[in-house]
Amino acid sequence: MYHFIMYLYLLGVIICSFFSEKVKKMWQGERDCFRIIRKKLDPKAQYAWFHAASLGEFEQGRPLMEQLRREHPEYKILLTFFSPSGYEVRKNYEGADIICYLPIDTVTNARRFLRTIRPTVAFFIKYEFWYNYLHILKHRHVPVYSVSSIFRPDQVFFKWYGHQYGMVLKCFTHFFVQNDISKELLAKIGLTNVTVTGDTRFDRVLKIKDDAQEIPIVSTFVNGHRCFIAGSSWEPDEEIFIKYFAEHREWKLVIAPHVIGEDHLKQIEHLAEGRKVIRYSQVIQGLRQSASTEQDAEIDKLLESADILIIDCFGLLSSIYRYADVTYVGGGFGVGIHNVLEAAVWNVPVLFGPNNQKFQEAQDIKSAGGGFEIQGYDDFCMIMDRFNRDQSLLQTASDHAGNYVRNHAGATHNIFKEVFKH
């Protein structure tokens, strides 16, 4: 049945590639995979294979890849992606020797791929359980590790009808899971090769913080004011917090939307009508065209007088959070919240919408007192009003957020120690 589903899925991808640019990129990338491998493969090398579905899983695998590069340079690294949102962003990542899409999990593709690469060890990040690849790896006696994985009772492995597909889990040499619930669920189906190590993303965000650079434009904009920073926001998020800060103009507001397109940017500006809004790209353009210190000073005055700064480019958000007194992470009124750890690592409380139940870090940071769920505008007002009235409450929430991240670091070291203990 699984093989039939894979071929049906393959047919669906081919058809959808005519109508979706994202699917088209994925389909082209999968077909291009073997050409990339043939071009870059070193037949004499030992390869450690890391597979990540998308960008989030890449960030979980990245600390392991970088430690492997430092401590075992005899390994070359193969990095594969399933989604264009991961591959297109990280296809030039310098920490891997070969980067490509993973071909769809048919028997033919899996055999060809593994016969070509012949990996020495494989790491599947979080949710990836490809039946054919995993069974062939086991047949070849290649150690396979599930990293930062998390399991829930509603997954097919733990249903009465999912026993056959659940056999794929027996292909793993070891599971490094995020929590005790995952360990208990795996034990119920007879899997005890499990260690609770937590999530490698904690190590990643701490490294990002250590490497972060000052961003003078944002520093000038904030200029000593209280600052609220919203990251990866969507329209339902923006309708809530922009409305609040229309009445609380003593705060500076930085918005880094998830979608950076002209229509969305104009939508944000429309919501903020009556307030002085400036885009990051406009400031950059002004500085490039500036021919004197006097003009630079005028740009600084423009920044300082603005109420809202829109970050209309990618790659800055994790560093920008450093300027926040309170943060908001978007997506909780849609498909699910984005990365709360990137904000919390800067010792600031994090607010987010209600669709966060499947995100372990959101549940934990709420319990720790550093994260706050809102159901709508009234909840947002209540929390922000409390922070406005009580500086000690804000400081306590900030401390809880930062301590939560620091106290959960170390998964990378523990995984690495177990995998390479010989």
Side-chain angles (χ1 to χ4, degrees), residues 48 50 64 68 72 75 120-123 143-147 173-176 195 197 411-422:
F50 288 82
L64 270 175
L68 180 65
H72 289 278
Y75 284 97
T120 303
V121 61
F123 299 89
V144 185
Y145 300 96
S146 178
V147 173
T173 305
H174 204 91
F175 294 88
F176 297 103
T195 303
T197 54
T412 302
H413 171 75
N414 293 331
I415 293 169
F416 198 87
K417 182 174 64 175
E418 176 65 26
V419 172
F420 296 99
K421 60 186 175 183
H422 302 303

Side-chain angles (χ1 to χ4, degrees), residues 99-361:
I99 304 173
C100 61
Y101 283 91
L102 182 67
I104 290 174
D105 187 28
T106 64
V107 173
T108 301
N109 281 342
R111 284 176 177 166
R112 183 184 176 191
F113 182 87
L114 294 171
R115 190 183 298 124
T116 304
I117 293 294
R118 299 187 181 276
T120 303
V121 61
F123 299 89
F124 281 52
I125 312 301
K126 197 173 182 177
Y127 287 135
E128 295 296 271
F129 308 108
W130 295 112
Y131 186 93
N132 292 313
Y133 283 104
L134 287 167
H135 276 86
I136 296 172
L137 285 166
K138 183 179 180 180
H139 178 74
R140 290 172 172 263
H141 305 291
V142 177
V144 185
Y145 300 96
S146 178
V147 173
S148 293
S149 47
I150 188 165
F151 293 91
R152 298 183 302 274
D154 61 351
Q155 287 175 297
V156 65
F157 313 115
F158 312 111
K159 302 293 186 180
W160 64 266
Y161 53 80
H163 175 75
Q164 184 175 359
Y165 183 65
M167 296 294 289
V168 73
L169 298 181
K170 296 184 182 295
C171 295
F172 284 94
T173 305
H174 204 91
F175 294 88
F176 297 103
V177 298
Q178 292 189 33
N179 57 25
D180 289 320
I181 294 173
S182 297
K183 183 176 182 178
E184 292 164 6
L185 285 168
L186 291 171
K188 288 181 180 179
I189 59 174
L191 295 170
T192 57
N193 51 334
V194 183
T195 303
V196 180
T197 54
D199 192 342
T200 52
R201 278 185 301 173
F202 290 91
D203 304 315
R204 177 61 188 149
V205 295
L206 284 166
K207 181 67 164 57
I208 290 172
K209 182 184 178 184
D210 289 342
D211 294 342
Q213 303 294 314
E214 292 278 352
I215 303 177
I217 289 174
V218 181
S219 180
T220 301
F221 167 76
V222 175
N223 193 31
H225 290 79
R226 280 190 169 187
C227 182
F228 182 91
I229 296 180
S232 302
S233 62
W234 297 77
E235 182 182 357
D237 307 304
E238 292 148 6
E239 289 174 347
I240 291 172
F241 59 73
I242 290 176
K243 179 180 178 182
Y244 179 84
F245 289 107
E247 303 296 328
H248 295 81
R249 301 196 173 200
E250 70 276 16
W251 285 74
K252 294 275 192 166
L253 175 56
V254 178
I255 306 173
H258 183 73
V259 177
I260 297 176
E262 188 60 27
D263 289 345
H264 189 198
L265 297 177
K266 286 182 177 178
Q267 192 173 49
I268 293 172
E269 290 167 342
H270 177 73
L271 287 170
E273 191 173 5
R275 303 208 65 187
K276 190 171 182 180
V277 181
I278 191 167
R279 298 186 189 183
Y280 187 87
S281 63
Q282 293 171 338
V283 181
I284 291 292
Q285 185 177 9
L287 290 172
R288 286 173 179 167
Q289 295 174 349
S290 175
S292 66
T293 54
E294 289 80 7
Q295 287 178 317
D296 289 349
E298 287 298 316
I299 293 171
D300 285 349
K301 287 181 182 178
L302 183 66
L303 269 172
E304 291 169 7
S305 65
D307 301 306
I308 299 173
L309 174 63
I310 300 176
I311 309 299
D312 54 344
C313 60
F314 293 109
L316 299 180
L317 180 58
S318 58
S319 294
I320 287 173
Y321 280 131
R322 74 193 306 150
Y323 300 100
D325 293 281
V326 181
T327 62
Y328 183 96
V329 172
F333 291 93
V335 296
I337 60 171
H338 298 283
N339 191 343
V340 302
L341 301 181
E342 283 188 343
V345 73
W346 290 103
N347 282 58
V348 287
V350 188
L351 281 62
F352 41 80
N355 190 0
N356 61 72
Q357 302 306 311
K358 292 184 178 181
F359 298 84
Q360 181 70 37
E361 66 276 13

